[in-house]
Amino acid sequence: MQDKTSIHGAWTSRWIFILAATGSAVGLGNIWKFPYITGENGGGAFVLVYLCCILLVGVPIMMAEVLIGRRGRQSPINAMKSVALEAGRPQYWSLVGWTGVLAGFMIFSFYSVVAGWVLFYIAGMGVGDFIAIGSADAGSVFNDLLGDPQTLIIWHSIFVMMVMLVIVGGVKKGLENAVKFLMPALFFLLLVMLGYSSQTEGFAAGWDFLFHYDPSELSWDSVLVALGHSFFTLSLGMGAIMAYGSYMPKKTSIGGAVIWIAIMDTLVALIAGLVIFPIVFSNGMDPGAGPGLMFVTLPVAFGQMPGGQIFGFVFFLLVGIAAWTSAISLMEPAAAWLVEKFNWHRIPACIVLGLIVWGMGIAALGSFNFISDVKLLGFNVFDFLDFMTANIMLPLGGLFIAIFAGWIITRNIVANELAISSPLLFNAWYIALRFIAPIGVSVIFVLNLIEKLK
Ligand code: TRP
């Protein structure tokens, strides 16, 4: 049991695991969503609550996912099953892995559509389509894109292929090579952008917008947003991190690695804010533009600034890389399971998965045009997928993972896998996992539902 390895291979080193998991965590959630929800929820006070959520709920649950994955050494579905059986518990705990795979498909389908927009903007920036564009024109570029299924399908298809090309290579030749190259590129591009934004006249205003501390702007609702986002941004609740954990070297400390991942994910989110807001303020634009911030406001800002074509291109390239390394982790659990279950090569597994998510993505992108009148629970298909996953499936998945690691399997198994030498630290983690995280997640889950459905 101790020295079991995954049939899919293993990361070469501890740092590769950290890079891969950071690649999963750092995505559209950090660069697009975090800056704008921070702006809307009181800046500094919100950031503080968000940091508490990451530390008290995110980090403990992430450690649980990694330890289950490494103990089981299989795809989330089979890892949950084998760890449950090892602890003498019913194998039905694999259901948590199943809902995770389903959530992965659902997130992928809308994620790929947004990533497709990003690819469209990389190309557009590259050929100079946005030079000196006004806000009305930038708005119509985005709306025309949404209304044009053919163009959307082309970019969505390209993104699906990019992701499957990496997964087909397997853990070492595919995932490891991709993150080894893409993550340093991402950090480098982010620093280039930060260097640029720090020279703009709006930098002080951007800094202030993110970090001014005004607790009066913080509402109970903001706390919910912070909790929910800490979940999404760390890729928790569906087994992505569990799958990556199953390829982790045995001797590596799980707690240490997870702290690094959480720190890097948080830093990228904060730096993304420090890139976006100064550019927005320097151009006298509205920071609270919401979803349009990245696709309408920023292109206008880039269009007006000297060298904006190059920086705009670099910026969207950065977002594209972040989305790419995240999307890989959404499909790896399902790919690993197909290989384990049917003894398939990765090629047919990726073709099957690629076709499924490609079809689901077309339904998601159709929400903006040819099936815009199709409603599920009052949402269009795109918003339905977003709502069901972020507000229901991920919190529930995280809750069950916390319960499983905290209450169902034995303390022996978790203590042995984590190998934390300080009893104080171990107990702090165990209390967070058994009490704070499940109670916190249940509260967000219920309040979110009441909020959304009323
Ligand atoms: N964390 C990614 C982001 O912030 C999204 C993501 C990737 C994700 N894999 C996940 C979210 C698994 C939940 C579960 O954009």
Side-chain angles (χ1 to χ4, degrees):
M1 183 55 70
Q2 260 350 2
D3 296 303
K4 218 162 61 167
T5 52
S6 168
I7 59 162
H8 310 287
W11 309 116
T12 302
S13 69
R14 160 173 193 260
W15 271 103
I16 297 286
F17 166 74
I18 294 175
L19 271 191
T22 305
S24 165
V26 172
L28 296 168
N30 302 60
I31 303 178
W32 165 69
K33 200 170 168 202
F34 174 77
Y36 119 76
I37 58 176
T38 298
E40 281 187 350
N41 290 281
F46 174 82
V47 173
L48 206 66
V49 175
Y50 166 78
L51 292 179
C52 292
C53 296
I54 295 272
L55 201 69
L56 293 176
V57 178
V59 167
I61 292 186
M62 189 184 268
M63 287 170 64
E65 278 207 29
V66 176
L67 89 82
I68 296 166
R70 191 169 73 176
R71 189 72 174 190
R73 286 289 189 217
Q74 276 161 300
S75 65
I77 294 173
N78 289 329
M80 289 293 292
K81 183 164 143 187
S82 94
V83 176
L85 291 176
E86 186 193 348
R89 298 295 186 164
Q91 64 179 49
Y92 303 117
W93 279 94
S94 63
L95 266 177
V96 176
W98 278 107
T99 46
V101 165
L102 183 65
F105 279 117
M106 293 169 68
I107 299 175
F108 192 103
S109 0
F110 70 87
Y111 212 79
S112 173
V113 174
V114 180
W117 302 345
V118 174
L119 297 181
F120 172 88
Y121 276 75
I122 296 174
M125 285 288 168
V127 300
D129 276 354
F130 294 92
I131 294 172
I133 198 166
S135 45
D137 285 344
S140 51
V141 169
F142 187 54
N143 283 329
D144 289 350
L145 173 65
L146 293 190
D148 175 4
Q150 260 148 349
T151 309
L152 291 175
I153 289 175
I154 291 172
W155 292 110
H156 157 64
S157 311
I158 293 175
F159 187 73
V160 171
M161 281 190 278
M162 285 164 58
V163 173
M164 291 308 161
L165 269 178
V166 174
I167 297 182
V168 102
V171 176
K172 272 226 164 76
K173 272 191 276 166
L175 277 64
E176 176 160 333
N177 278 335
V179 296
K180 232 168 34 191
F181 171 71
L182 292 175
M183 292 312 288
L186 187 151
F187 295 135
F188 174 75
L189 295 179
L190 193 64
L191 292 180
V192 169
M193 289 305 298
L194 181 65
Y196 174 80
S197 83
S198 68
Q199 300 307 308
T200 62
E201 55 187 3
F203 190 73
W207 179 279
D208 186 60
F209 187 69
L210 262 184
F211 296 121
H212 75 267
Y213 183 76
D214 184 357
S216 71
E217 285 173 39
L218 196 66
S219 62
W220 176 235
D221 193 49
S222 314
V223 178
L224 295 188
V225 175
L227 259 164
H229 187 65
S230 63
F231 234 80
F232 186 83
T233 192
L234 290 176
S235 300
L236 298 178
M238 60 134 299
I241 296 295
M242 204 183 285
Y244 280 15
S246 72
Y247 312 137
M248 188 187 193
K250 180 75 194 176
K251 291 216 155 50
T252 300
S253 137
I254 291 178
V258 165
I259 295 285
W260 268 107
I261 298 159
I263 289 176
M264 291 208 279
D265 183 72
T266 307
L267 272 182
V268 172
L270 294 176
I271 295 176
L274 284 179
V275 166
I276 290 174
F277 289 121
I279 294 175
V280 167
F281 286 121
S282 302
N283 291 279
M285 311 204 59
D286 173 19
L293 188 67
M294 199 166 90
F295 295 105
V296 180
T297 313
L298 271 190
V300 176
F302 285 126
Q304 288 167 358
M305 66 178 62
Q309 184 184 351
I310 294 169
F311 286 108
F313 176 76
V314 167
F315 177 80
F316 280 101
L317 192 63
L318 158 75
V319 182
I321 291 175
W324 192 10
T325 54
S326 293
I328 292 167
S329 73
L330 288 167
M331 280 297 110
E332 175 60 23
W337 181 79
L338 283 177
V339 171
E340 287 163 9
K341 176 77 184 175
F342 302 111
N343 220 342
W344 279 1
H345 191 271
R346 279 194 174 235
I347 296 175
C350 286
I351 293 175
V352 168
L353 293 177
L355 285 174
I356 297 174
V357 288
W358 183 72
M360 288 175 67
I362 290 180
L365 66 83
S367 324
F368 302 105
N369 38 71
F370 60 88
I371 48 165
S372 57
D373 48 351
V374 172
K375 295 278 187 280
L376 303 161
L377 298 178
F379 299 101
N380 67 29
V381 176
F382 184 94
D383 292 338
F384 175 78
L385 292 168
D386 182 6
F387 171 77
M388 282 301 287
T389 51
N391 294 313
I392 297 182
M393 299 173 82
L394 297 183
L396 270 185
L399 179 64
F400 281 116
I401 288 166
I403 293 173
F404 182 71
W407 297 92
I408 303 298
I409 60 179
T410 58
R411 185 182 166 118
N412 255 347
I413 294 183
V414 289
N416 172 285
E417 203 59 42
L418 284 187
I420 298 179
S421 46
S422 145
L424 187 73
L425 277 181
F426 178 81
N427 284 327
W429 171 76
Y430 212 40
I431 288 170
L433 185 78
R434 296 177 62 144
F435 300 102
I436 303 175
I439 293 170
V441 172
S442 306
V443 170
I444 347 166
F445 179 60
V446 171
L447 289 181
N448 246 336
L449 262 190
I450 294 172
E451 184 70 21
K452 289 279 163 33
L453 296 178
K454 84 179 166 205

